[in-house]
Amino acid sequence: HLDSAEATKPDEVREPPFTEAPAQYSFNVPRYFNIQLRAREFAKQQMSHLAWCYSVDIPLHPGDRDLPEDALLQKLQAWLMRHDQDTSHLTSVLPLVKDLPVRLTDSVDRERQLYKGRRGRIYGWTLHPSTLSEEQDDGEVILDRLPLVIYVLFPEATWSIGKLPKGVYPLK
């Protein structure tokens, strides 16, 4: 149970450099679990709202869309098991918290030196106008679709894009 684990965790792991350190795992399951735990802990420490986006896969081919419900469910579950190298390095559950430390999983803009592995922080996001959210008992929110844009701040950057603040990059 997480509450008992919380009580035994040393206070120093709740502060930098531990809270800012990258974590590396050989397998997806512990990595995804760690992403979720760290996002929750970060939101709690910052007293910020935490929103979760779950992947929603829609079959591309009409033949797949017409499958019987149980066959389609099996296909959807298989997609959730795919390695993140097959999904643009996005997890099936994406946490959104303002100022949450993130790393680029791909090179997105060479001109601005936004290469794979570059560190930034979530600055904000723009929700789709039809987004529905469901608040959970713990105050977290589940969004029914990914945001249209996630804005990432790269604090050391000197460039700006349009009317965005210096160092803020819009990821679609």
Side-chain angles (χ1 to χ4, degrees):
H1 188 265
L2 285 179
D3 292 336
S4 62
E6 268 309 298
T8 60
K9 190 183 336 175
D11 288 337
E12 57 266 15
V13 300
R14 294 187 176 120
E15 300 170 2
F18 294 103
T19 56
E20 301 290 322
Q24 295 181 344
Y25 295 93
S26 300
F27 301 102
N28 283 342
V29 172
R31 178 176 34 176
Y32 296 161
F33 182 71
N34 181 53
I35 289 169
Q36 293 173 24
L37 276 177
R38 289 176 84 166
R40 279 195 170 109
E41 183 68 23
F42 182 84
K44 194 182 332 176
Q45 288 176 359
Q46 301 296 315
M47 294 187 289
S48 295
H49 296 286
L50 172 60
W52 295 101
C53 301
Y54 287 81
S55 67
V56 177
D57 294 310
I58 299 169
L60 179 62
H61 304 291
D64 288 339
R65 289 191 292 252
D66 296 334
L67 288 171
E69 188 175 338
D70 58 332
L72 181 58
L73 182 60
Q74 279 185 326
K75 187 175 277 279
L76 293 173
Q77 288 174 338
W79 289 340
L80 289 173
M81 301 299 291
R82 292 179 71 177
H83 194 280
D84 66 356
Q85 290 176 342
D86 297 330
T87 60
S88 298
H89 301 281
L90 291 175
T91 62
S92 58
V93 180
L94 179 66
L96 294 173
V97 181
K98 287 190 178 180
D99 207 36
L100 181 70
V102 294
R103 277 180 181 246
L104 293 177
T105 58
D106 227 339
S107 295
V108 295
D109 189 329
R110 295 184 186 284
E111 183 180 310
R112 293 183 174 87
Q113 297 179 331
L114 298 179
Y115 300 113
K116 179 180 178 177
R118 176 108 182 242
R119 292 181 185 192
R121 293 183 171 273
I122 294 178
Y123 183 79
W125 52 89
T126 300
L127 295 178
H128 186 282
S130 301
T131 297
L132 299 175
S133 63
E134 179 183 323
E135 187 159 347
Q136 303 298 296
D137 293 336
D138 55 9
E140 296 176 4
V141 174
I142 297 177
L143 305 175
D144 71 339
R145 63 187 70 210
L146 287 173
L148 295 174
V149 180
I150 298 174
Y151 300 96
V152 179
L153 171 65
F154 298 95
E156 68 286 353
T158 57
W159 45 260
S160 59
I161 298 174
K163 295 181 180 180
L164 292 173
K166 184 173 72 172
V168 173
Y169 191 85
L171 286 171
K172 294 184 180 184

